[in-house]
Amino acid sequence: MEAFETDLPGVYVIEPDVYADHRGDFREIWNAREYAEHGVTATFVQDNLSRSKPRVLRGLHFQNPRPQGKLVSVFRGEVYDVALDVRVDSDTFGQWEGWTLSAENGRQLYVPEGFAHGFVVTSRTEALFHYKCTDFYAPDAEETVRWDDPDLSIDWPVDEPILSEKDRAAPGLHELEREQVMFTSIPRC
């Protein structure tokens, strides 16, 4: 397994070992001891699986209060995955990074508390997207940042994505009240 911290503190890209032969392949998608050796020490309490059609964009979502860290991976298809720093006291507030995750490359992304997260399906087939979360889903704590906020200039690789009404109507990052995005420390996984 290889893992590296990105330019966004606490965000990790993880590339699990893949063992392939004529039957297919095998990979571990979570091993607390192995991941801790590479810097990811999160405790997960909930797993989610979403199924999305091509061009579906989900996000940018986060929870406050009750923030969630997420270890995400793709079981089928391919997505472009984005992490956005929403910690108002962070040196990287408002900065984002994006990565291609697919069933084929097996890549995972750890997005810690204090980051908004979103993805768009880039494959021609549906995507199965897996989330391991560090806190339970709390609908009353959910916040959304507009996917095409011009202040962020996220380079989404899909024109005219398919969106939920909630994501379509989301405010820009700088339109959110400070209390909605107030995280006071750099979270470490």
Side-chain angles (χ1 to χ4, degrees):
M1 177 175 110
E2 293 184 35
F4 64 89
E5 190 170 27
T6 69
D7 291 337
L8 298 174
V11 177
Y12 286 83
V13 172
I14 299 138
E15 296 185 355
D17 294 327
V18 178
Y19 303 96
D21 63 22
H22 67 281
R23 301 168 297 161
D25 63 49
F26 172 87
R27 68 193 81 180
E28 281 187 340
I29 57 171
W30 173 248
N31 177 318
R33 183 178 52 237
E34 179 90 11
Y35 281 60
E37 290 173 7
H38 288 37
V40 179
T41 59
T43 300
F44 297 105
V45 299
Q46 180 176 326
D47 281 43
N48 302 319
L49 185 67
S50 69
R51 183 171 56 95
S52 301
K53 297 176 181 180
R55 295 185 19 251
V56 165
L57 191 150
R58 296 182 185 266
L60 298 157
H61 303 148
F62 67 100
Q63 288 189 178
N64 188 30
R66 306 234 0 227
Q68 289 180 311
K70 300 173 183 174
L71 177 65
V72 298
S73 55
V74 175
F75 290 171
R76 180 169 56 218
E78 179 183 279
V79 307
Y80 183 70
D81 197 85
V82 171
L84 167 68
D85 190 345
V86 295
R87 301 166 300 159
V88 294
D89 64 342
S90 168
D91 291 339
T92 56
F93 175 75
Q95 293 180 28
W96 63 273
E97 287 192 37
W99 303 267
T100 298
L101 308 181
S102 70
E104 187 174 315
N105 70 22
R107 185 177 294 143
Q108 298 174 308
L109 183 66
Y110 180 71
V111 181
E113 294 87 351
F115 286 80
H117 172 259
F119 69 88
V120 65
V121 178
T122 54
S123 54
R124 293 182 185 193
T125 59
E126 71 181 12
L128 285 180
F129 192 87
H130 179 248
Y131 314 69
K132 292 185 82 53
C133 302
T134 60
D135 198 358
F136 299 103
Y137 175 64
D140 57 325
E142 187 172 47
E143 300 289 349
T144 305
V145 175
R146 186 169 178 87
W147 71 280
D148 63 348
D149 181 342
D151 291 335
L152 303 176
S153 299
I154 296 174
D155 190 17
W156 296 103
V158 171
D159 293 326
E160 299 181 30
I162 299 167
L163 302 163
S164 70
E165 286 305 314
K166 177 184 75 174
D167 290 346
R168 185 179 316 283
L173 179 61
H174 298 291
E175 295 174 69
L176 291 171
E177 298 295 325
R178 182 174 172 85
E179 297 78 31
Q180 291 173 282
V181 292
M182 188 179 347
F183 292 89
T184 57
S185 63
I186 294 177
R188 298 305 297 182
C189 51

